[in-house]
Amino acid sequence: MARYGMVIDETKCVGCYACRVACQNLNHLRENEAYNFLEEREYGKFPNFHRVFLPVQCQHCDNPPCVSVCPTGASYKRKDGIVLVNEKDCIGCKYCIAACPYNVRIIKKEGYIEKCRFCLEFVEQGGQPACVTTCMTGVRMFGDLDDPNSEISRYVAQNVHLLKTYKEEFDTRPRIFYKKV
Amino acid sequence: MEGTHFVFWNWTIAVYLFVAGVSAGAFAISVLAYFIGEEKYEDIARIGAYIAPFPLIIGLVFLIYDLERPFTFWKLLVTVQINSVMSLGAWLLLVFSILSFLNFYFWLPDRIDLAEFIREKLKNRDKPAVLCRIRDSRFLESMTRPHLKRFRPLLGLIGMPVALFVGIYTGVLLGVLSPRPFWNNPMLPMLFLVSALKTGTASVCFIGCFIMGMKGMSREKVETNKFVIHSVDFFLMILSMITIILFIFGLYTVSRNSAEAAKLIMGGEYTFLFWGFAVVVGILVPFCLEIYELFPHFVDHTALREHNPWISGVTTAAVLVGGFVLRYVIVYAGQATLYITS
Ligand code: SF4
Ligand code: SF4
């Protein structure tokens, strides 16, 4: 069984927002809606300061609070680790929005909740999510964490001491690993 | 919008949390009055039973209206998700509304008798057999007025914990959300429960002492029903002051994030609403009025004051306004905070 995950190398991100636009195009989102965004942080004071961009999207948590709070079972986690919303069952109570620590869920105008789906259609055909293929500096890496020969598995094995998950305090066990500045 | 906070639950949820509390509180006070003195405090028990079902129904309408897809609300009631407070709460509310309607029916005046009415209508029929069987059944007989009163204590015993759970649930619903430091506070469910009991009591007192008491009230009733409901209200006010202090104390001490969140009501956006309405109007003003009303009696054991409906009216209206504003502030402030890590 595949176990999908992503590595995001924060040190390489230049903040061009191409991933956000690619995702919006692919998913027909309006300009103020997005499944992924950049958290911008500034450290220090001019002239000694630096700015970092942290690309955030659904972390496809292994212990997803959005799934456990959903009263109808519309939010669920697939065997391969991708967390999805079954739009037919979602009643739009928005409890999952309140429960997600990463603030990545949005309300579609059709009245259900949606968020990053790891570009399921492409991944099932053996492809890569749009944010990964579109990134010009190679910030993102996507693949099967269960396959020891995949690029991502080897990368994780080599850099394990540099990788962190985001907001670890909640024990959500994200599937996205960040290489921090 | 992304990365920042947006409001996904608006005031309709605050209304829902508030009125669910009023229902739970009215039910609880009604049962309590029934248990401590069926004859003596019958008015409280009766008014409480009459009030209880209706705020809840309004609240459910608001709750359903707030869904992005209101017409799919039935999906809540075809599944049980053990981990989801909202799913358990939906079932809890279903049970509570059934119980409160039953209680309502059990307390209706004797002349309204559905079972007798059915028996009357079917008296001269001999077909179909099912209907006759129903007519002659022991069950229907036990549902006629003279027998019904026996069910009140049973219903009270079952309904009391359910009502308390409803009061707690409205707080737990928000309290379990760990990424929201303003909500994720062990004192929140307690705060909501005390506020639920207080607003429920106030609603009973509002109807009983203000609206019905407009025409004046007999000395006997002042000394029994009115005295008890005001005393209960008074002690709940003290409790709610303590819980509010502990709630704020919790915000400051639980984590850096919640201390940050506390700023919203300590100088931030919701300071005026919280302190001005939820605390001063909701607790301190009625507290002073209750002191005026009760203290001479408590301390000097002088006779109770003459009935003045306006004092009861202002006290209870203030409690109700304060209770709503408290929910409003908490619903909005909770959404304005999200756990931040550096
Ligand atoms: S990041 Fe949020 S939406 Fe995605 S799985 Fe985790 S809790 Fe759910
Ligand atoms: S909004 Fe939809 S997916 Fe989210 S908790 Fe409610 S029913 Fe589940």
Side-chain angles (χ1 to χ4, degrees):
Chain A
M1 194 72 219
R3 196 165 73 93
Y4 294 115
M6 189 183 274
V7 168
I8 294 180
D9 185 347
E10 195 188 331
T11 58
K12 288 189 193 162
C13 178
V14 296
C16 71
Y17 284 91
C19 49
R20 183 180 187 263
V21 176
C23 177
Q24 285 175 316
N25 277 335
L26 186 74
N27 293 296
H28 307 292
L29 300 177
R30 282 170 290 175
E31 70 272 25
N32 59 352
E33 293 176 331
Y35 296 157
N36 60 1
F37 56 88
L38 301 180
E39 273 184 25
E40 300 185 21
R41 302 254 169 86
E42 277 175 21
Y43 296 98
K45 263 206 176 112
F46 185 81
N48 300 314
F49 79 105
H50 71 167
R51 193 159 183 210
V52 272
F53 301 96
L54 182 71
V56 179
Q57 67 208 56
C58 171
Q59 310 279 313
H60 296 275
C61 310
D62 274 349
N63 182 20
C66 59
V67 171
S68 53
V69 302
C70 179
T72 60
S75 284
Y76 67 103
K77 187 170 175 74
R78 285 169 32 130
K79 284 219 183 60
D80 59 12
I82 300 181
V83 174
L84 292 179
V85 179
N86 179 345
E87 60 178 88
K88 284 210 296 295
D89 280 349
C90 174
I91 59 175
C93 68
K94 297 164 274 186
Y95 202 31
C96 53
I97 297 183
C100 170
Y102 306 96
N103 207 14
V104 294
R105 300 188 144 236
I106 62 173
I107 307 168
K108 302 281 276 190
K109 63 175 180 308
E110 293 84 1
Y112 62 94
I113 305 300
E114 195 50 284
K115 54 166 197 81
C116 160
R117 305 185 330 281
F118 264 175
C119 289
L120 202 62
E121 318 80 69
F122 295 165
V123 170
E124 278 179 337
Q125 309 291 323
Q128 300 260 308
C131 55
V132 176
T133 48
T134 207
C135 180
M136 59 174 185
T137 53
V139 167
R140 296 156 184 269
M141 189 185 292
F142 178 86
D144 181 357
L145 293 165
D146 263 0
D147 173 3
N149 293 319
S150 67
E151 194 193 355
I152 188 170
S153 295
R154 284 195 305 237
Y155 185 88
V156 169
Q158 282 164 14
N159 295 287
V160 70
H161 57 291
L162 293 176
L163 297 179
K164 278 207 180 115
T165 53
Y166 189 31
K167 299 192 182 179
E168 286 171 342
E169 302 84 330
F170 296 107
D171 193 30
T172 51
R173 284 179 260 136
R175 283 279 176 95
I176 296 189
F177 302 91
Y178 289 91
K179 187 173 169 201
K180 288 282 206 173
V181 179
Chain B
M1 67 134 294
E2 70 268 8
T4 58
H5 316 113
F6 68 106
V7 175
F8 44 90
W9 282 340
N10 57 15
W11 55 272
T12 49
I13 291 294
V15 172
Y16 156 68
L17 295 175
F18 168 68
V19 293
V22 172
S23 270
F27 191 96
I29 190 74
S30 153
V31 172
L32 184 72
Y34 176 75
F35 282 156
I36 59 178
E38 184 184 356
E39 306 279 278
K40 216 165 156 197
Y41 305 121
E42 198 192 322
D43 282 354
I44 301 179
R46 189 177 289 277
I47 295 171
Y50 288 172
I51 292 176
F54 300 103
L56 186 70
I57 295 302
I58 298 171
L60 290 179
V61 171
F62 274 88
L63 179 67
I64 291 169
Y65 172 75
D66 184 70
L67 297 179
E68 295 297 315
R69 292 170 162 175
F71 296 112
T72 55
F73 79 93
W74 53 269
K75 290 196 174 164
L76 281 170
L77 297 176
V78 292
T79 161
V80 183
Q81 302 286 331
I82 296 294
N83 286 324
S84 168
V85 179
M86 190 177 284
S87 173
L88 300 179
W91 287 101
L92 186 69
L93 287 178
L94 183 72
V95 173
F96 180 64
S97 27
I98 293 171
L99 290 178
S100 61
F101 268 109
L102 272 182
N103 198 38
F104 174 77
Y105 179 68
F106 288 177
W107 278 96
L108 281 177
D110 283 346
R111 55 175 197 283
I112 303 173
D113 192 340
L114 265 184
E116 197 55 56
F117 180 76
I118 294 172
R119 296 218 297 182
E120 200 64 30
K121 278 276 171 238
L122 298 179
K123 200 159 62 190
N124 301 322
R125 310 263 306 245
D126 43 3
K127 305 187 288 211
V130 206
L131 281 184
C132 297
R133 283 262 280 292
I134 292 178
R135 181 191 63 197
D136 299 331
S137 67
R138 293 267 304 280
F139 175 73
L140 200 63
E141 191 184 337
S142 68
M143 282 293 135
T144 54
R145 278 289 155 193
H147 300 276
L148 265 191
K149 286 205 176 76
R150 286 197 324 237
F151 290 109
R152 286 180 189 168
L154 181 67
L155 193 70
L157 278 181
I158 303 171
M160 186 72 150
V162 177
L164 295 181
F165 273 127
V166 169
I168 297 170
Y169 145 79
T170 54
V172 174
L173 182 72
L174 306 180
V176 292
L177 298 171
S178 51
R180 308 273 165 185
F182 197 87
W183 289 340
N184 188 22
N185 180 315
M187 218 52 210
L188 187 73
M190 192 64 199
L191 183 63
F192 275 24
L193 174 65
V194 173
S195 177
L197 294 175
K198 194 159 62 95
T199 48
T201 310
S203 68
V204 173
C205 186
F206 187 80
I207 305 282
C209 299
F210 181 63
I211 295 183
M212 287 162 62
M214 263 313 193
K215 301 188 292 284
M217 199 187 261
S218 72
R219 193 68 209 164
E220 191 204 333
K221 285 203 170 155
V222 171
E223 267 157 23
T224 56
N225 287 300
K226 185 184 167 190
F227 174 62
V228 160
I229 198 124
H230 274 277
S231 305
V232 170
D233 202 26
F234 180 70
F235 286 110
L236 285 172
M237 266 168 215
I238 297 177
L239 257 186
S240 69
M241 279 185 223
I242 297 173
T243 45
I244 283 198
I245 292 169
L246 291 180
F247 174 72
I248 295 174
F249 179 70
L251 284 180
Y252 274 113
T253 50
V254 168
S255 72
R256 184 165 55 88
N257 281 283
S258 62
E260 191 65 27
K263 285 191 185 145
L264 281 171
I265 53 167
M266 307 298 274
E269 205 180 333
Y270 297 102
T271 313
F272 175 68
L273 273 183
F274 185 79
W275 292 101
F277 281 87
V279 175
V280 173
V281 174
I283 302 177
L284 294 183
V285 169
F287 188 67
C288 295
L289 288 170
E290 294 288 20
I291 287 181
Y292 169 80
E293 185 89 24
L294 296 170
F295 250 48
H297 179 74
F298 280 171
V299 180
D300 287 344
H301 296 284
T302 49
L304 283 163
R305 284 178 195 282
E306 280 306 309
H307 176 63
N308 178 348
W310 288 100
I311 292 185
S312 302
V314 172
T315 312
T316 52
V319 168
L320 290 171
V321 170
F324 172 68
V325 176
L326 179 73
R327 302 310 198 291
Y328 182 91
V329 169
I330 286 178
V331 164
Y332 276 86
Q335 295 176 76
T337 55
L338 189 66
Y339 198 97
I340 309 287
T341 47
S342 53

